[in-house]
Amino acid sequence: MKNGFRQSMAWLHTWSGLIVGWLLLAIFVTGSASYYRSEITGWMNPQIQPSAPFKESQSLRHAMDWLQTRAPEATSWLIDLPTERLPVTQVMWQDAGERRYNSALLDPSSAQLLASRKSFGGDFFYGFHFQLSLPPLIGRWIVGIASMLMFIAIVSGVIIHRRIFKDFFTFRPGKGQRSWLDAHNTLSVLALPFHVLITYTGLVTLMFMYVPWGIDLVYGKERGAFLSEVRDFSAPIAPASETAPLVPYTSVIEQARQYWGEGHIARVAISSPGVANARIELIRDTRDQLSFRPQRLVIGGVGGELIETVAPAGPAKAFYNVMYGLHMAHFADPLLRVLLFLSGLGGSAMIATGLQLWVIKRRGNATKGLYRRIEGLNVMAVLGLPLAMGSYFWANRLLPDDLLGREIREIQAFFCVWLLTLLHAQIRAPRHAWREQALLCALGFAGLPILDFATGPDALNGFNGVSLLLAIGFAYAAWRLYRAPAKLGPAPRSTATSSRPRESRT
């Protein structure tokens, strides 16, 4: 630990960022992709193409009729209505004695069953973002520890910058280590409110797991009672023995419109369909509110009468739900979503420049072999991760639709390519590894629109546009790397009387 408060904060900033920097970069990149989770899922399921404009009432009627025909004996039904971002109706049903739900996709305007392509779509990046494709408890603890260190790095980074806003307007290209530091400072300040908010709210979303002592003190071992109060669960009821037909869909729509207006039903959950005490739970969307916890209506499944209305209440619960909603950003309109996505990419670049700056400052050290290995990890994190993400999309279109465990194979392609980028970065000299992986990223993302045109019904979409922009960015990076001299680190000290180090060129 260095002497002096700022020196101590600089030490803390350096090591809190480095220890989990590669992991934080993966969390930021996949979290940024999760802002377009629905669009990624739509691209990876090209069969999702609505035949005509759809309406809420029409989609619900088709879904209820389809389930009544295909799964009349199921113990519960779930219906996720289509949205503009994902224009497909998803129906799920749970048969007696089964824990998992079966699912199918329907065209919302015609009730036609869409050909199923097994894929996790954008849900894979969303899940990786907060639990790293590990068992939930392990993955979320690792992400939580990394997020805590990220928050420490942000706070200590603000403290050590005496001229934080002046540095924001300072960028000196072609100055080696100085340029990397300027880039890191600029990216840090550019979206500083976003970095603080997204890190803090990410910790809040899982705070009950990280600090459970208050819950244990009040509820003891009755953790289920606590979750029921926080999440507003309705207690399940035993199904009756008498059978009775479900209320028509028009009654469901009328109840929703009376309380929420038109077009706000996100999910319809029907428990014990076909029996006398069936219940229908309507869950409101959250696109017009900051809170992540939606309002709910519970109505009788046979008579259509209102049984219960549930709206989150209480200051503590409201605060938690708003923090959760700010992190998820379901309320974001298209322009705000773009800004959040760009802020996430900026945060990723901030972490990447910080990692590379740490290596560049230490090139030429007696233990340079160690720093070469660390720079290999930087290559794997900065370029290997997007290359692995691109391979995930390529696998989606190249694997046969009828392949057993197809959705798992897509994920395996992601991790295999990511591992190969690590091996490549450790075997090749750093300057070659940077160049070659940047070029591969450019080629991989440039090929996605071509692949979509060859295998999908519509190549003119936002996903392909973003892929082309990323390809251009990686191509420019590869071009700059191929033009750069071999040595990117700080120049040796001058032999003149002045002891100040000369700045090297990139």
Side-chain angles (χ1 to χ4, degrees):
M1 183 73 74
K2 302 294 184 181
N3 294 326
F5 179 68
R6 286 186 183 274
Q7 290 80 4
S8 299
M9 290 297 100
W11 180 91
L12 185 62
H13 178 79
T14 298
W15 290 102
S16 62
L18 179 69
I19 291 171
V20 293
W22 304 289
L23 178 59
L24 283 171
L25 184 57
I27 293 170
F28 257 75
V29 171
T30 53
S32 301
S34 297
Y35 283 125
Y36 290 97
R37 174 183 174 188
S38 297
E39 287 77 7
I40 292 173
T41 298
W43 190 89
M44 298 183 72
N45 290 273
Q47 74 276 14
I48 299 179
Q49 296 290 329
S51 57
F54 55 85
K55 295 182 178 180
E56 180 183 70
S57 57
Q58 183 185 37
S59 303
L60 180 59
R61 175 170 65 89
H62 288 324
M64 291 180 67
D65 290 345
W66 192 91
L67 285 168
Q68 185 64 57
T69 302
R70 303 296 178 91
E73 303 297 328
T75 58
S76 64
W77 297 344
L78 295 177
I79 302 170
D80 287 340
L81 295 183
T83 64
E84 292 182 358
R85 297 177 59 201
L86 192 63
V88 64
T89 304
Q90 183 175 16
V91 293
M92 293 162 279
W93 65 97
Q94 186 179 44
D95 294 322
E98 293 187 358
R99 298 183 61 184
R100 294 181 176 271
Y101 276 87
N102 303 290
S103 65
L105 301 178
L106 304 179
D107 186 297
S109 59
S110 66
Q112 180 181 359
L113 181 66
L114 300 175
S116 177
R117 168 179 284 189
K118 295 293 185 181
S119 175
F120 287 108
D123 292 344
F124 167 64
F125 296 133
Y126 172 70
F128 185 92
H129 168 67
F130 67 90
Q131 64 185 42
L132 307 175
S133 296
L134 296 172
L137 189 61
I138 297 175
R140 295 178 189 188
W141 264 108
I142 294 175
V143 170
I145 293 171
S147 300
M148 293 173 197
L149 290 173
M150 175 70 176
F151 201 73
I152 292 172
I154 292 173
V155 174
S156 57
V158 171
I159 293 173
I160 64 178
H161 282 94
R162 296 176 183 270
R163 304 174 301 174
I164 185 170
F165 292 106
K166 182 179 179 180
D167 288 344
F168 170 69
F169 295 101
T170 303
F171 180 68
R172 289 154 284 192
K175 299 296 183 180
Q177 178 182 322
R178 181 74 252 181
S179 299
W180 283 100
L181 181 59
D182 288 345
H184 184 67
N185 291 339
T186 300
L187 290 166
S188 301
V189 181
L190 183 64
L192 180 60
F194 172 83
H195 301 151
V196 174
L197 178 69
I198 208 68
T199 307
Y200 175 72
T201 55
L203 288 169
V204 168
T205 59
L206 296 174
M207 67 180 184
F208 299 125
M209 185 176 74
Y210 302 142
V211 283
W213 305 289
I215 303 169
D216 295 339
L217 180 63
V218 176
Y219 291 89
K221 296 182 179 180
E222 298 296 327
R223 185 62 65 91
F226 165 76
L227 294 176
S228 179
E229 289 189 25
V230 170
R231 300 178 181 176
D232 304 310
F233 286 150
S234 297
I237 58 174
S241 56
E242 301 84 4
T243 61
L246 275 175
V247 69
Y249 77 96
T250 52
S251 298
V252 177
I253 295 293
E254 288 173 4
Q255 289 282 9
R257 287 179 178 173
Q258 180 180 350
Y259 286 88
W260 304 332
E262 186 174 357
H264 283 290
I265 303 178
R267 167 173 283 191
V268 178
I270 305 174
S271 59
S272 305
V275 303
N277 64 342
R279 286 191 173 186
I280 300 177
E281 182 178 21
L282 309 181
I283 301 174
R284 192 187 192 279
D285 63 47
T286 56
R287 67 174 182 263
D288 59 349
Q289 62 184 39
L290 288 178
S291 177
F292 178 72
R293 189 64 55 197
Q295 301 175 29
R296 299 187 299 114
L297 297 176
V298 181
I299 65 176
V302 175
E305 73 283 0
L306 180 65
I307 297 175
E308 183 183 12
T309 62
V310 180
K317 188 184 295 185
F319 174 80
Y320 172 77
N321 290 334
V322 168
M323 291 296 102
Y324 208 142
L326 287 172
H327 191 82
M328 300 297 292
H330 287 174
F331 58 86
D333 60 19
L335 177 58
L336 180 57
R337 194 173 298 277
V338 170
L339 293 176
L340 291 171
F341 176 71
L342 293 177
S343 297
L345 294 184
S348 304
M350 174 191 69
I351 297 169
T353 53
L355 289 171
Q356 191 60 9
L357 178 63
W358 190 92
V359 172
I360 288 175
K361 289 174 66 175
R362 291 160 178 80
R363 278 182 178 158
N365 189 286
T367 56
K368 61 182 180 180
L370 172 63
Y371 298 117
R372 181 178 180 276
R373 299 304 172 199
I374 292 176
E375 186 166 9
L377 290 173
N378 288 353
V379 177
M380 177 271 298
V382 176
L383 294 176
L385 177 61
L387 187 58
M389 295 172 72
S391 69
Y392 177 66
F393 300 132
W394 276 86
N396 171 260
R397 292 302 178 87
L398 296 180
L399 292 174
D401 288 350
D402 57 353
L403 179 66
L404 185 63
R406 186 183 188 283
E407 66 276 24
I408 303 299
R409 299 292 183 267
E410 292 178 356
I411 296 175
Q412 289 174 343
F414 170 87
F415 284 109
C416 286
V417 170
W418 202 9
L419 177 60
L420 288 174
T421 64
L422 173 61
L423 297 176
H424 172 263
Q426 296 297 332
I427 294 172
R428 297 284 284 167
R431 63 180 182 274
H432 295 306
W434 283 110
R435 296 168 178 173
E436 291 160 4
Q437 292 199 24
L439 182 59
L440 286 174
C441 284
L443 294 174
F445 280 96
L448 286 176
I450 301 173
L451 183 65
D452 190 27
F453 179 78
T455 60
D458 179 21
L460 299 176
N461 53 61
F463 181 96
N464 290 336
V466 173
S467 296
L468 286 176
L469 290 176
L470 290 174
I472 292 171
F474 285 122
Y476 176 74
W479 176 70
R480 288 296 302 269
L481 288 166
Y482 273 101
R483 291 182 67 245
K487 190 172 183 61
L488 300 176
R493 293 184 179 272
S494 172
T495 56
T497 56
S498 174
S499 63
R500 294 181 59 188
R502 293 181 300 178
E503 293 174 324
S504 63
R505 299 177 181 178
T506 54

